[in-house]
Amino acid sequence: MNELPPSPSFIPDRFVSGGQTGVDRAGLEVAIALGIEHGGWCPRGRLSEDGSIPSRYQLVEMDSPEYPPRTEQNIIDSDATLILYEGRLGGGTLLTRRLAKRHDRPTLCLKLETATTEELQQWLTQTRPRSLNVAGPRESNCPGIEKRAFVFLLQAFV
C-alpha cells in the first residue's frame, strides 16, 4: 500500500512581507505557488534594491519611501514573524527581530544552514498564526537566499 507523505500540520491563511529581494520575495512566491493569500506593506514607489517591486505581489504602498516603516507595519499587521537567515542577523533583518519583540509578536529565527522544516512546523502548530510575516536578508546581502528560502518554505508547506 502506498502511503501519502504527511501533510503539514498547520498552514497560515496569509503570508505577508515587504517585497524586498531575498527572503521577502521567497515568502510571497511560496504563497502564490500554493494559492495562499499574500500581501503586506512596501515603501512608497514600490522601492526595492532591484528597482520597482513587481506588480504581481499584492502589496500596499506606505506614505514613506523608507524601509523601516513598512517593516514595522508588516509586523503589526501579522500574528507572528518568521525570520529566515544565513550567517548572522544584521541590518533590516535584525531590525525586524527587534520590532517583533517590541510589539510582542511571536518570532521564530531559523538559520537556513541548519534549520529543519520540522522546527518550522512545530512552531507554527504551537503558534497558529493566521497571518505570517516572512522576513530575512535581501539578495545583495546574501546571494542566492531567495531560492534557498523558497525551497525551504515550499518543503515545509507541501
Side-chain angles (χ1 to χ4, degrees), residues 129-157:
R130 293 289 173 244
S131 181
L132 179 66
N133 181 33
V134 179
R138 60 179 64 191
E139 196 68 16
S140 64
N141 290 343
C142 196
I145 196 163
E146 186 172 329
K147 182 177 181 181
R148 292 186 294 276
F150 176 82
V151 169
F152 177 81
L153 289 169
L154 199 58
Q155 289 173 344
F157 293 112

mmCIF file of all heavy atoms in Angstrom, residues 129-157:
data_model
loop_
_atom_site.group_PDB
_atom_site.id
_atom_site.type_symbol
_atom_site.label_atom_id
_atom_site.label_comp_id
_atom_site.label_asym_id
_atom_site.label_seq_id
_atom_site.Cartn_x
_atom_site.Cartn_y
_atom_site.Cartn_z
ATOM 1 N N PRO A 129 -0.435 31.102 13.702
ATOM 2 C CA PRO A 129 -0.698 32.438 13.156
ATOM 3 C C PRO A 129 -1.568 32.358 11.909
ATOM 4 O O PRO A 129 -1.311 31.573 11.008
ATOM 5 C CB PRO A 129 0.698 32.949 12.806
ATOM 6 C CG PRO A 129 1.467 31.708 12.471
ATOM 7 C CD PRO A 129 0.921 30.645 13.394
ATOM 8 N N ARG A 130 -2.610 33.144 11.861
ATOM 9 C CA ARG A 130 -3.429 33.202 10.654
ATOM 10 C C ARG A 130 -2.673 33.988 9.579
ATOM 11 O O ARG A 130 -2.760 33.694 8.402
ATOM 12 C CB ARG A 130 -4.770 33.867 10.953
ATOM 13 C CG ARG A 130 -5.632 33.049 11.880
ATOM 14 C CD ARG A 130 -6.160 31.903 11.374
ATOM 15 N NE ARG A 130 -6.781 30.740 11.236
ATOM 16 C CZ ARG A 130 -6.301 29.543 10.880
ATOM 17 N NH1 ARG A 130 -5.119 29.305 10.659
ATOM 18 N NH2 ARG A 130 -7.000 28.512 10.705
ATOM 19 N N SER A 131 -1.943 35.022 10.012
ATOM 20 C CA SER A 131 -1.163 35.858 9.107
ATOM 21 C C SER A 131 0.301 35.782 9.530
ATOM 22 O O SER A 131 0.640 36.134 10.656
ATOM 23 C CB SER A 131 -1.674 37.300 9.173
ATOM 24 O OG SER A 131 -0.955 38.116 8.301
ATOM 25 N N LEU A 132 1.156 35.295 8.620
ATOM 26 C CA LEU A 132 2.572 35.090 8.925
ATOM 27 C C LEU A 132 3.436 36.067 8.144
ATOM 28 O O LEU A 132 3.421 36.080 6.904
ATOM 29 C CB LEU A 132 2.980 33.658 8.581
ATOM 30 C CG LEU A 132 4.444 33.296 8.828
ATOM 31 C CD1 LEU A 132 4.776 33.341 10.319
ATOM 32 C CD2 LEU A 132 4.762 31.928 8.242
ATOM 33 N N ASN A 133 4.186 36.893 8.862
ATOM 34 C CA ASN A 133 5.153 37.794 8.256
ATOM 35 C C ASN A 133 6.426 36.992 7.981
ATOM 36 O O ASN A 133 6.978 36.369 8.890
ATOM 37 C CB ASN A 133 5.429 38.955 9.218
ATOM 38 C CG ASN A 133 6.405 39.965 8.675
ATOM 39 O OD1 ASN A 133 6.465 40.213 7.484
ATOM 40 N ND2 ASN A 133 7.165 40.561 9.565
ATOM 41 N N VAL A 134 6.890 36.983 6.730
ATOM 42 C CA VAL A 134 8.105 36.265 6.347
ATOM 43 C C VAL A 134 9.176 37.292 6.007
ATOM 44 O O VAL A 134 8.975 38.141 5.143
ATOM 45 C CB VAL A 134 7.860 35.330 5.138
ATOM 46 C CG1 VAL A 134 9.134 34.616 4.742
ATOM 47 C CG2 VAL A 134 6.747 34.337 5.451
ATOM 48 N N ALA A 135 10.310 37.204 6.702
ATOM 49 C CA ALA A 135 11.353 38.217 6.543
ATOM 50 C C ALA A 135 12.733 37.584 6.575
ATOM 51 O O ALA A 135 12.903 36.448 7.007
ATOM 52 C CB ALA A 135 11.230 39.257 7.657
ATOM 53 N N GLY A 136 13.716 38.362 6.145
ATOM 54 C CA GLY A 136 15.101 37.914 6.162
ATOM 55 C C GLY A 136 15.944 38.793 5.261
ATOM 56 O O GLY A 136 15.471 39.807 4.738
ATOM 57 N N PRO A 137 17.200 38.396 5.049
ATOM 58 C CA PRO A 137 18.116 39.224 4.270
ATOM 59 C C PRO A 137 17.697 39.400 2.814
ATOM 60 O O PRO A 137 17.056 38.528 2.226
ATOM 61 C CB PRO A 137 19.433 38.455 4.326
ATOM 62 C CG PRO A 137 19.285 37.453 5.395
ATOM 63 C CD PRO A 137 17.829 37.192 5.559
ATOM 64 N N ARG A 138 18.105 40.515 2.284
ATOM 65 C CA ARG A 138 17.908 40.785 0.861
ATOM 66 C C ARG A 138 18.972 40.034 0.060
ATOM 67 O O ARG A 138 20.000 39.616 0.599
ATOM 68 C CB ARG A 138 17.954 42.285 0.578
ATOM 69 C CG ARG A 138 19.261 42.928 0.950
ATOM 70 C CD ARG A 138 19.324 44.397 0.644
ATOM 71 N NE ARG A 138 18.359 45.152 1.415
ATOM 72 C CZ ARG A 138 18.059 46.416 1.189
ATOM 73 N NH1 ARG A 138 18.658 47.078 0.226
ATOM 74 N NH2 ARG A 138 17.184 47.041 1.934
ATOM 75 N N GLU A 139 18.742 39.900 -1.198
ATOM 76 C CA GLU A 139 19.603 39.113 -2.084
ATOM 77 C C GLU A 139 21.042 39.653 -2.136
ATOM 78 O O GLU A 139 21.992 38.869 -2.136
ATOM 79 C CB GLU A 139 18.978 39.080 -3.483
ATOM 80 C CG GLU A 139 19.512 38.024 -4.394
ATOM 81 C CD GLU A 139 19.174 36.587 -4.017
ATOM 82 O OE1 GLU A 139 18.272 36.331 -3.203
ATOM 83 O OE2 GLU A 139 19.856 35.705 -4.552
ATOM 84 N N SER A 140 21.219 40.966 -2.144
ATOM 85 C CA SER A 140 22.581 41.523 -2.251
ATOM 86 C C SER A 140 23.411 41.252 -0.999
ATOM 87 O O SER A 140 24.639 41.199 -1.065
ATOM 88 C CB SER A 140 22.531 43.032 -2.520
ATOM 89 O OG SER A 140 21.946 43.710 -1.425
ATOM 90 N N ASN A 141 22.754 41.078 0.146
ATOM 91 C CA ASN A 141 23.481 40.786 1.382
ATOM 92 C C ASN A 141 23.738 39.295 1.553
ATOM 93 O O ASN A 141 24.566 38.899 2.377
ATOM 94 C CB ASN A 141 22.709 41.300 2.600
ATOM 95 C CG ASN A 141 22.691 42.811 2.664
ATOM 96 O OD1 ASN A 141 23.483 43.480 2.015
ATOM 97 N ND2 ASN A 141 21.763 43.354 3.427
ATOM 98 N N CYS A 142 23.021 38.480 0.809
ATOM 99 C CA CYS A 142 23.133 37.031 0.947
ATOM 100 C C CYS A 142 22.753 36.392 -0.397
ATOM 101 O O CYS A 142 21.646 35.883 -0.556
ATOM 102 C CB CYS A 142 22.207 36.569 2.070
ATOM 103 S SG CYS A 142 22.544 34.935 2.663
ATOM 104 N N PRO A 143 23.665 36.458 -1.378
ATOM 105 C CA PRO A 143 23.333 35.974 -2.727
ATOM 106 C C PRO A 143 22.791 34.542 -2.724
ATOM 107 O O PRO A 143 23.340 33.657 -2.086
ATOM 108 C CB PRO A 143 24.673 36.057 -3.468
ATOM 109 C CG PRO A 143 25.429 37.144 -2.754
ATOM 110 C CD PRO A 143 25.025 36.991 -1.305
ATOM 111 N N GLY A 144 21.679 34.363 -3.423
ATOM 112 C CA GLY A 144 21.059 33.048 -3.543
ATOM 113 C C GLY A 144 20.062 32.704 -2.459
ATOM 114 O O GLY A 144 19.417 31.657 -2.511
ATOM 115 N N ILE A 145 19.890 33.584 -1.477
ATOM 116 C CA ILE A 145 19.000 33.245 -0.360
ATOM 117 C C ILE A 145 17.534 33.171 -0.786
ATOM 118 O O ILE A 145 16.765 32.402 -0.212
ATOM 119 C CB ILE A 145 19.175 34.202 0.847
ATOM 120 C CG1 ILE A 145 18.534 33.556 2.085
ATOM 121 C CG2 ILE A 145 18.624 35.583 0.539
ATOM 122 C CD1 ILE A 145 18.955 34.144 3.389
ATOM 123 N N GLU A 146 17.153 33.926 -1.798
ATOM 124 C CA GLU A 146 15.752 33.857 -2.233
ATOM 125 C C GLU A 146 15.393 32.439 -2.675
ATOM 126 O O GLU A 146 14.375 31.884 -2.261
ATOM 127 C CB GLU A 146 15.490 34.852 -3.364
ATOM 128 C CG GLU A 146 14.033 34.932 -3.764
ATOM 129 C CD GLU A 146 13.762 36.058 -4.736
ATOM 130 O OE1 GLU A 146 14.442 37.098 -4.704
ATOM 131 O OE2 GLU A 146 12.818 35.895 -5.537
ATOM 132 N N LYS A 147 16.248 31.843 -3.475
ATOM 133 C CA LYS A 147 15.982 30.478 -3.956
ATOM 134 C C LYS A 147 16.031 29.475 -2.803
ATOM 135 O O LYS A 147 15.169 28.596 -2.701
ATOM 136 C CB LYS A 147 16.987 30.090 -5.033
ATOM 137 C CG LYS A 147 16.738 28.713 -5.608
ATOM 138 C CD LYS A 147 17.690 28.370 -6.717
ATOM 139 C CE LYS A 147 17.363 26.990 -7.264
ATOM 140 N NZ LYS A 147 18.280 26.605 -8.321
ATOM 141 N N ARG A 148 17.022 29.596 -1.929
ATOM 142 C CA ARG A 148 17.139 28.656 -0.810
ATOM 143 C C ARG A 148 15.953 28.774 0.154
ATOM 144 O O ARG A 148 15.426 27.771 0.642
ATOM 145 C CB ARG A 148 18.470 28.861 -0.086
ATOM 146 C CG ARG A 148 19.672 28.446 -0.946
ATOM 147 C CD ARG A 148 20.975 28.502 -0.181
ATOM 148 N NE ARG A 148 21.378 29.836 0.230
ATOM 149 C CZ ARG A 148 22.039 30.708 -0.525
ATOM 150 N NH1 ARG A 148 22.379 30.399 -1.774
ATOM 151 N NH2 ARG A 148 22.380 31.889 -0.058
ATOM 152 N N ALA A 149 15.523 30.000 0.411
ATOM 153 C CA ALA A 149 14.366 30.214 1.288
ATOM 154 C C ALA A 149 13.091 29.685 0.629
ATOM 155 O O ALA A 149 12.246 29.084 1.291
ATOM 156 C CB ALA A 149 14.225 31.691 1.640
ATOM 157 N N PHE A 150 12.952 29.892 -0.670
ATOM 158 C CA PHE A 150 11.784 29.391 -1.400
ATOM 159 C C PHE A 150 11.698 27.876 -1.283
ATOM 160 O O PHE A 150 10.643 27.326 -0.953
ATOM 161 C CB PHE A 150 11.862 29.812 -2.865
ATOM 162 C CG PHE A 150 10.753 29.256 -3.712
ATOM 163 C CD1 PHE A 150 9.511 29.856 -3.755
ATOM 164 C CD2 PHE A 150 10.952 28.101 -4.465
ATOM 165 C CE1 PHE A 150 8.485 29.329 -4.518
ATOM 166 C CE2 PHE A 150 9.934 27.570 -5.241
ATOM 167 C CZ PHE A 150 8.693 28.194 -5.270
ATOM 168 N N VAL A 151 12.804 27.186 -1.533
ATOM 169 C CA VAL A 151 12.819 25.721 -1.449
ATOM 170 C C VAL A 151 12.476 25.256 -0.043
ATOM 171 O O VAL A 151 11.673 24.353 0.151
ATOM 172 C CB VAL A 151 14.186 25.165 -1.918
ATOM 173 C CG1 VAL A 151 14.332 23.692 -1.585
ATOM 174 C CG2 VAL A 151 14.372 25.400 -3.409
ATOM 175 N N PHE A 152 13.074 25.897 0.968
ATOM 176 C CA PHE A 152 12.812 25.526 2.362
ATOM 177 C C PHE A 152 11.330 25.697 2.699
ATOM 178 O O PHE A 152 10.697 24.794 3.263
ATOM 179 C CB PHE A 152 13.679 26.361 3.305
ATOM 180 C CG PHE A 152 13.414 26.092 4.756
ATOM 181 C CD1 PHE A 152 13.985 25.000 5.383
ATOM 182 C CD2 PHE A 152 12.587 26.934 5.494
ATOM 183 C CE1 PHE A 152 13.739 24.730 6.728
ATOM 184 C CE2 PHE A 152 12.343 26.680 6.830
ATOM 185 C CZ PHE A 152 12.917 25.578 7.450
ATOM 186 N N LEU A 153 10.772 26.847 2.364
ATOM 187 C CA LEU A 153 9.360 27.111 2.666
ATOM 188 C C LEU A 153 8.434 26.170 1.907
ATOM 189 O O LEU A 153 7.471 25.657 2.466
ATOM 190 C CB LEU A 153 9.011 28.572 2.350
ATOM 191 C CG LEU A 153 9.615 29.614 3.292
ATOM 192 C CD1 LEU A 153 9.415 31.000 2.725
ATOM 193 C CD2 LEU A 153 9.005 29.496 4.679
ATOM 194 N N LEU A 154 8.735 25.946 0.655
ATOM 195 C CA LEU A 154 7.902 25.049 -0.143
ATOM 196 C C LEU A 154 7.900 23.644 0.479
ATOM 197 O O LEU A 154 6.845 23.017 0.627
ATOM 198 C CB LEU A 154 8.399 25.012 -1.576
ATOM 199 C CG LEU A 154 7.414 24.496 -2.622
ATOM 200 C CD1 LEU A 154 6.136 25.320 -2.626
ATOM 201 C CD2 LEU A 154 8.059 24.512 -3.995
ATOM 202 N N GLN A 155 9.068 23.177 0.877
ATOM 203 C CA GLN A 155 9.157 21.853 1.521
ATOM 204 C C GLN A 155 8.372 21.825 2.839
ATOM 205 O O GLN A 155 7.791 20.804 3.189
ATOM 206 C CB GLN A 155 10.615 21.482 1.771
ATOM 207 C CG GLN A 155 11.380 21.156 0.520
ATOM 208 C CD GLN A 155 12.863 20.953 0.760
ATOM 209 O OE1 GLN A 155 13.405 21.331 1.806
ATOM 210 N NE2 GLN A 155 13.539 20.374 -0.216
ATOM 211 N N ALA A 156 8.348 22.933 3.532
ATOM 212 C CA ALA A 156 7.647 22.984 4.827
ATOM 213 C C ALA A 156 6.130 22.959 4.660
ATOM 214 O O ALA A 156 5.423 22.501 5.548
ATOM 215 C CB ALA A 156 8.049 24.250 5.590
ATOM 216 N N PHE A 157 5.636 23.419 3.511
ATOM 217 C CA PHE A 157 4.197 23.577 3.351
ATOM 218 C C PHE A 157 3.553 22.613 2.362
ATOM 219 O O PHE A 157 2.359 22.703 2.111
ATOM 220 C CB PHE A 157 3.856 25.015 2.979
ATOM 221 C CG PHE A 157 4.142 25.969 4.084
ATOM 222 C CD1 PHE A 157 5.158 26.900 3.985
ATOM 223 C CD2 PHE A 157 3.415 25.938 5.267
ATOM 224 C CE1 PHE A 157 5.430 27.777 5.019
ATOM 225 C CE2 PHE A 157 3.678 26.803 6.306
ATOM 226 C CZ PHE A 157 4.690 27.727 6.186
#
